[in-house]
Amino acid sequence: MELLQKNRCFDGEQRIYRFNSQTLKGDSRFAVYLSPQALEGEACPALFYLAGLTCTEETFAIKAHAQGMAAQLGLILIMPDTSPRGDYVAQGDHWDIGQGAGFYINATQAPWAEHYQMESFIVDELYELVLQQFPVQQNRVGIFGHSMGGHGALTLAFKYPDKFKSVSAFAPICAPTQCPWGEKAFSTYLGNDQALWAQHDAVALVGEKGALFNEILIDQGLDDQFYSQLNPALFQQVCVQVGQTLTLREHAGYDHGYYFIQSFMDDHLQFHAVQLES
Amino acid sequence: MELLQKNRCFDGEQRIYRFNSQTLKGDSRFAVYLSPQALEGEACPALFYLAGLTCTEETFAIKAHAQGMAAQLGLILIMPDTSPRGDYVAQGDHWDIGQGAGFYINATQAPWAEHYQMESFIVDELYELVLQQFPVQQNRVGIFGHSMGGHGALTLAFKYPDKFKSVSAFAPICAPTQCPWGEKAFSTYLGNDQALWAQHDAVALVGEKGALFNEILIDQGLDDQFYSQLNPALFQQVCVQVGQTLTLREHAGYDHGYYFIQSFMDDHLQFHAVQLES
């Protein structure tokens, strides 16, 4: 694990690392924010943040304005890249597929299966690495994300509730089996068997697994230019059906970008801090 | 004035405009953050933020994490570009001169003088435009900046105390006549007459003008990779000599970048809000 960059920030440290991933079969970068408490070696709760289409491990660190509140709450933030990267990694035909668009699933189809193993990368390899390398309280790890990464956070939380004790999302793709982004990604990475797709669809997963969390927090802008891809109403519906408490906040005037995300970032960090205490 | 982008942010709006500048003889962009109060048409105090070398009008908006506190305090933030831009504008040989490096002065030397008129642009043309277009309280306008923009903020405040009632800076170039960045910029833009240079040097200006502000706030990282270009001690010295109150805070471990700036941003906004009330 190689430290590429570190910057003091709110008395903690913002860092970028590179390491050779066995799961992705190549180098991968991730960013981490260590709160002042973590920097002193104190065991802290941690949050994985999964970013959206086209983003990298640095997007959240620069644009989300999370470090100030993370420092106050004593949180460690883990920010993986959104896909495998490199000349040897298959490229997509557009920004919504391939590099920068891993969708947090394990591809089964050629040529993608060779490197696109983002689900195992996050929940096994990176998760273990983070527990080894940073002073993380093992039973206090949460996950959140935005858009494609909101889909990732919701699905990974419901698939691995033993690993993630809290979950929230900004403008998540709630039902990827029912929107163009998801249909393209799932048919590309998983092939045409739609029974497989459902295993990676938050609405389907909650319907199958039932209520697993005390509460889920979702923020959604009502001027979101990608609203038709997101289907928050379907997610709300299935949460009601299974008795999963959901706080879905819809915000007039807000769009899909990081100016929206930063506006509600403190709320999400405080939400996770409370959930991870219980 | 053409609105290029707007994003709801902390119930205010982050915007980018383009307009044809008579001073710069070409199109120029600037960003503005309108607090919720300003968006409702309420007259608000305003701060000009001058960015550093290589930055654009968007850098501060994305990286400085200022909007949350600006919304709380009811501030309008004005973020100009750092130089004229365009194919028809003279280019420099390196990132420390030419486009992205206007140094907030009016060039007198060819080929720079044609477009590089950043001082007049900020204090006359953009200043007037902002007063016309946004609900700014005319007697409550402050200025701050970073690095080259910290130099800009300090010098423009001491040259135009009737226009700027408060001033602060992050890691400013305090004595450009005595550091390589400044020597290169001033000899390029102004020629070799060093008597002219002194008119644009914060240390020299404060020595000449004396104490003009209730207080000046400067934050400086002690791990700043450009520390030798900045000379905060010279600025502190001249402030003591003339009786100008200065709060110079030196921070162990912090470098020159926006992770440093964001860590102390709220303090600067609160400082200006207090100074502009008096």
Side-chain angles (χ1 to χ4, degrees):
Chain A
M1 196 166 87
E2 182 190 0
L3 179 62
L4 299 178
Q5 189 181 324
K6 66 172 182 175
N7 304 90
R8 181 70 57 133
C9 187
F10 288 101
D11 288 340
E13 247 175 45
Q14 181 66 49
R15 299 182 183 173
I16 298 178
Y17 289 94
R18 176 172 55 202
F19 75 109
N20 191 269
S21 163
Q22 294 191 326
T23 312
L24 302 180
K25 295 185 184 165
D27 278 352
S28 186
R29 293 177 182 217
F30 68 98
V32 58
Y33 178 70
L34 296 176
S35 65
Q37 299 87 334
L39 209 53
E40 297 281 328
E42 192 183 314
C44 292
L47 297 181
F48 282 74
Y49 176 84
L50 306 184
L53 289 164
T54 76
C55 292
T56 74
E57 77 288 350
E58 222 180 340
T59 310
F60 179 88
I62 293 171
K63 296 185 170 183
H65 299 201
Q67 292 93 343
M69 182 54 72
Q72 277 188 49
L73 297 171
L75 297 172
I76 293 172
L77 306 176
I78 311 293
M79 301 147 257
D81 201 352
T82 53
S83 75
R85 303 257 180 199
D87 295 343
Y88 52 86
V89 172
Q91 301 265 4
D93 61 354
H94 190 59
W95 56 260
D96 61 4
I97 202 76
Q99 293 189 32
F103 269 83
Y104 306 104
I105 59 178
N106 292 338
T108 59
Q109 303 298 298
W112 311 98
E114 179 73 1
H115 298 287
Y116 286 78
Q117 300 291 320
M118 287 299 291
E119 177 173 337
S120 296
F121 173 72
I122 300 289
V123 303
D124 294 327
E125 191 176 19
L126 183 61
Y127 194 98
E128 289 307 316
L129 185 75
V130 162
L131 289 186
Q132 282 166 22
Q133 299 287 335
F134 305 107
V136 173
Q137 292 178 300
Q138 294 210 21
N139 57 346
R140 296 179 71 195
V141 178
I143 191 165
F144 66 147
H146 169 233
S147 195
M148 174 184 76
H151 141 75
L154 293 171
T155 54
L156 297 185
F158 275 83
K159 285 191 236 184
Y160 305 96
D162 51 326
K163 299 201 166 182
F164 303 109
K165 302 298 183 205
S166 60
V167 57
S168 76
F170 299 90
I173 303 172
C174 293
T177 62
Q178 301 181 56
C179 76
W181 276 341
E183 289 163 2
K184 180 175 179 178
F186 287 6
S187 59
T188 301
Y189 296 140
L190 302 173
N192 292 321
D193 179 358
Q194 299 203 8
L196 288 179
W197 295 14
Q199 298 171 17
H200 311 284
D201 179 288
V203 168
L205 272 169
V206 173
E208 180 199 332
K209 307 257 182 179
L212 295 184
F213 294 88
N214 283 339
E215 186 181 346
I216 298 170
L217 172 62
I218 293 179
D219 278 305
Q220 175 63 57
L222 292 176
D223 277 8
D224 189 317
Q225 58 271 47
F226 299 112
Y227 195 88
S228 65
Q229 299 259 16
L230 304 175
N231 286 310
L234 294 180
F235 192 75
Q236 190 171 37
Q237 207 169 45
V238 75
C239 284
V240 169
Q241 280 167 16
V242 304
Q244 170 63 59
T245 303
L246 167 69
T247 301
L248 170 62
R249 307 191 302 185
E250 300 185 302
H251 303 281
Y254 285 88
D255 61 29
H256 197 66
Y258 274 83
Y259 291 116
F260 154 64
I261 293 174
Q262 66 176 249
S263 300
F264 302 102
M265 179 52 59
D266 285 359
D267 294 349
H268 281 247
L269 298 179
Q270 288 168 326
F271 167 82
H272 283 275
V274 168
Q275 298 299 316
L276 292 173
E277 265 176 19
S278 63
Chain B
M1 197 167 87
E2 183 190 358
L3 179 63
L4 299 178
Q5 189 182 320
K6 65 171 184 175
N7 303 92
R8 179 69 58 133
C9 188
F10 288 100
D11 288 340
E13 246 174 46
Q14 181 65 49
R15 298 182 184 172
I16 297 178
Y17 289 93
R18 177 172 56 203
F19 76 108
N20 190 268
S21 163
Q22 294 191 327
T23 312
L24 302 180
K25 295 186 185 167
D27 280 349
S28 185
R29 295 178 182 215
F30 68 98
V32 58
Y33 178 70
L34 296 175
S35 65
Q37 299 86 332
L39 209 53
E40 297 282 328
E42 193 183 312
C44 293
L47 297 181
F48 281 75
Y49 176 84
L50 305 185
L53 289 163
T54 77
C55 291
T56 74
E57 78 288 350
E58 221 180 342
T59 309
F60 179 87
I62 292 171
K63 295 185 169 181
H65 299 200
Q67 293 93 344
M69 182 54 71
Q72 276 186 50
L73 297 171
L75 297 171
I76 293 172
L77 305 175
I78 309 294
M79 299 148 256
D81 201 351
T82 52
S83 76
R85 303 256 181 199
D87 295 342
Y88 52 88
V89 173
Q91 301 266 2
D93 61 355
H94 190 59
W95 55 260
D96 60 5
I97 201 76
Q99 294 190 32
F103 268 83
Y104 306 105
I105 59 178
N106 293 338
T108 59
Q109 303 299 299
W112 310 99
E114 178 73 2
H115 299 287
Y116 286 78
Q117 299 292 319
M118 287 300 290
E119 176 172 339
S120 296
F121 173 71
I122 300 289
V123 302
D124 293 328
E125 190 174 20
L126 183 61
Y127 194 98
E128 289 307 316
L129 185 75
V130 161
L131 289 186
Q132 282 166 22
Q133 298 288 333
F134 305 108
V136 172
Q137 291 178 301
Q138 294 208 21
N139 57 345
R140 295 180 71 197
V141 178
I143 191 164
F144 65 147
H146 169 233
S147 193
M148 173 183 77
H151 141 75
L154 293 170
T155 53
L156 297 184
F158 274 83
K159 287 190 236 183
Y160 304 97
D162 51 327
K163 298 202 167 183
F164 303 108
K165 302 298 181 204
S166 60
V167 57
S168 75
F170 299 91
I173 302 172
C174 293
T177 62
Q178 300 181 55
C179 76
W181 275 341
E183 289 164 3
K184 180 173 179 179
F186 287 5
S187 60
T188 301
Y189 297 140
L190 302 174
N192 292 322
D193 180 359
Q194 298 202 9
L196 287 178
W197 295 15
Q199 298 172 19
H200 311 285
D201 179 289
V203 168
L205 273 168
V206 172
E208 179 199 334
K209 306 259 181 178
L212 296 183
F213 294 89
N214 283 338
E215 185 182 347
I216 298 170
L217 172 62
I218 293 181
D219 279 304
Q220 175 62 57
L222 291 177
D223 276 8
D224 189 316
Q225 60 271 46
F226 300 112
Y227 194 87
S228 65
Q229 300 259 13
L230 305 175
N231 287 310
L234 294 180
F235 193 75
Q236 191 170 35
Q237 208 168 45
V238 76
C239 284
V240 169
Q241 281 166 16
V242 304
Q244 170 62 59
T245 302
L246 166 70
T247 300
L248 170 61
R249 306 191 304 185
E250 300 186 299
H251 303 281
Y254 284 88
D255 63 29
H256 198 67
Y258 274 83
Y259 291 117
F260 154 64
I261 293 175
Q262 65 177 248
S263 300
F264 303 102
M265 181 50 60
D266 285 359
D267 294 350
H268 281 247
L269 299 179
Q270 287 167 328
F271 167 82
H272 283 275
V274 168
Q275 298 299 317
L276 292 172
E277 263 175 21
S278 62

